Amino acid sequence: GMGWTLLGAGLLLALYTLLRHGLRRSPPLRDRPELRGRTAIVTGGSSGIGAATALELARCGARVVLATRNAPRGEAAARRIRTETGNAEVLFMQLDLASLRSVRAFASAFLRQEPHLHLLINNAGVSVGGTTEDGFSLPFQVNHLGHFLLTQLLLERLQSCAPSRVVIVASRAHCAGRLRPNTLGRPPSGLFSAFQDYCDSKLANVLHARELATRLQGTQVTCYAVHPGFVNTELFRHTPLWLKPLFLPLAWLFFLDAAEGAQTSLHCATQEGLERFSGRYFADCRLQEPWPPARDDRLARALWEASERLVGLGGPGENPSP
């Protein structure tokens, strides 16, 4: 009866405390880098890790563009960050990664309005969803294809402002990703298709960084893939309703606050001396080896070529070649 319940609760709490402090070594607080005169874009910057990343970049003095879909939320987040940091140079620009047309519109508006770009933080992500107006699975387009197109359209500006960096928010979930370049962007079938789709998009993120680095050698534009930490745990978001009660304690256990989740993105965006690790994968603010498929250079190249085709790049004059 009650005794067992209390004992169980006590054990859970002890386990929680142990794991929370054992698993989660917070990175040491470092001196804030000086980013005055630098311009950053953070996609999905109105909430979660994106907002925490934008807030910290603004604290360092950067001009920060929150590139996000929902205008009222984007404007509110920009206002909140301006107030909290005293940095007036934080603005919202609309970007819907689920629409390649919107990605193009955002890129041309940005290039018209903003003379500089030093940091592109491809942070936005979704874990489930249907099909986009472009006919791709929503997670694959938002997490990979939309960001792929965005990065290509902004590459010349990043190069003219070099040294500059691209940070791609991936996930440890890339370990379960499977990519077949000929069926790219089509939702997988099967019971756990939503989870599979998400994992595939995250493998694409790690491979995107790898191939981008290869193509950018000698340009002083570097790029990094990061695992942000399980903020609000990805596993939890995909759980069928009837399983949620079992996952609640786990979700609570692995819940990271957004500021902690932003640490690795910020590390890769601002830490000095990371240039030689361009194309590599970071977690817990440290260089880590991703899973073997994420180190497959042939797959990385095939993914790149298929992505170019799917977003309509690679034609003459359109694709900024490094």
Side-chain angles (χ1 to χ4, degrees):
M2 196 63 183
W4 286 113
T5 312
L6 282 172
L7 181 64
L11 282 171
L12 263 177
L13 194 62
L15 181 68
Y16 169 80
T17 313
L18 197 74
L19 281 170
R20 172 91 202 197
H21 296 287
L23 286 172
R24 308 264 21 290
R25 290 171 313 285
S26 267
L29 275 174
R30 45 199 180 93
D31 297 333
R32 287 221 158 88
E34 175 52 70
L35 298 179
R36 253 181 290 257
R38 311 219 138 204
T39 299
I41 292 172
V42 181
T43 70
S46 68
S47 64
I49 299 179
T53 305
L55 176 71
E56 187 57 30
L57 293 171
R59 275 202 186 112
C60 297
R63 179 173 177 82
V64 183
V65 174
L66 304 185
T68 186
R69 189 187 53 191
N70 181 309
R73 276 174 48 189
E75 297 283 11
R79 205 162 45 240
R80 199 170 60 239
I81 293 172
R82 287 195 300 268
T83 307
E84 200 170 322
T85 60
N87 179 346
E89 298 189 60
V90 179
L91 59 149
F92 158 77
M93 285 180 71
Q94 188 162 39
L95 166 67
D96 181 2
L97 289 153
S99 158
L100 296 177
R101 200 182 51 211
S102 171
V103 174
R104 290 176 183 280
F106 169 87
S108 62
F110 178 89
L111 293 170
R112 244 191 346 266
Q113 291 166 32
E114 297 290 330
H116 304 294
L117 179 58
H118 304 92
L119 293 174
L120 172 59
I121 317 281
N122 288 336
N123 163 86
V126 295
S127 51
V128 284
T131 309
T132 66
E133 65 181 48
D134 302 294
F136 302 113
S137 100
L138 183 75
F140 199 81
Q141 180 167 333
V142 170
N143 301 352
H144 170 64
L145 286 172
H147 279 128
F148 177 86
L149 176 60
L150 179 68
T151 305
Q152 288 306 97
L153 296 175
L154 297 175
L155 211 47
E156 275 178 12
R157 184 62 48 88
L158 283 162
Q159 285 175 219
S160 69
C161 295
S164 55
R165 295 183 184 186
V166 179
V167 175
I168 300 172
V169 178
S171 163
R172 232 162 247 155
H174 77 268
C175 67
R178 297 193 304 254
L179 288 176
R180 298 176 201 77
N182 52 344
T183 61
L184 211 59
R186 272 184 241 156
S189 56
L191 188 58
F192 291 103
S193 60
F195 187 61
Q196 186 61 53
D197 206 12
Y198 178 75
C199 296
D200 294 353
S201 73
K202 293 291 140 184
L203 174 56
N205 289 153
V206 184
L207 288 167
H208 178 203
R210 192 174 178 92
E211 180 68 11
L212 183 58
T214 301
R215 288 166 186 255
L216 289 175
Q217 273 166 357
T219 63
Q220 282 198 292
V221 183
T222 54
C223 58
Y224 311 89
V226 309
H227 168 69
F230 286 101
V231 175
N232 243 333
T233 161
E234 290 145 1
L235 292 170
F236 186 60
R237 279 183 293 182
H238 301 286
T239 314
L241 208 57
W242 57 272
L243 267 178
K244 292 233 172 186
L246 296 174
F247 273 91
L248 256 171
L250 282 174
W252 180 55
L253 177 60
F254 291 111
F255 180 83
L256 276 183
D257 69 25
E260 287 178 278
Q263 287 302 322
T264 306
S265 294
L266 289 162
H267 177 80
C268 288
T270 62
Q271 184 70 31
E272 281 176 39
L274 295 187
E275 288 76 13
R276 67 184 187 278
F277 302 122
S278 185
R280 306 283 296 278
Y281 172 78
F282 284 74
D284 300 320
C285 297
R286 291 195 306 274
L287 183 66
Q288 304 208 344
E289 281 300 329
W291 289 68
R295 304 198 294 266
D296 180 339
D297 289 317
R298 289 213 342 254
L299 184 57
R301 191 173 319 117
L303 170 70
W304 183 283
E305 286 161 6
S307 301
E308 271 185 335
R309 198 173 62 246
L310 294 176
V311 301
L313 281 176
E318 163 118 70
N319 191 7
S321 58

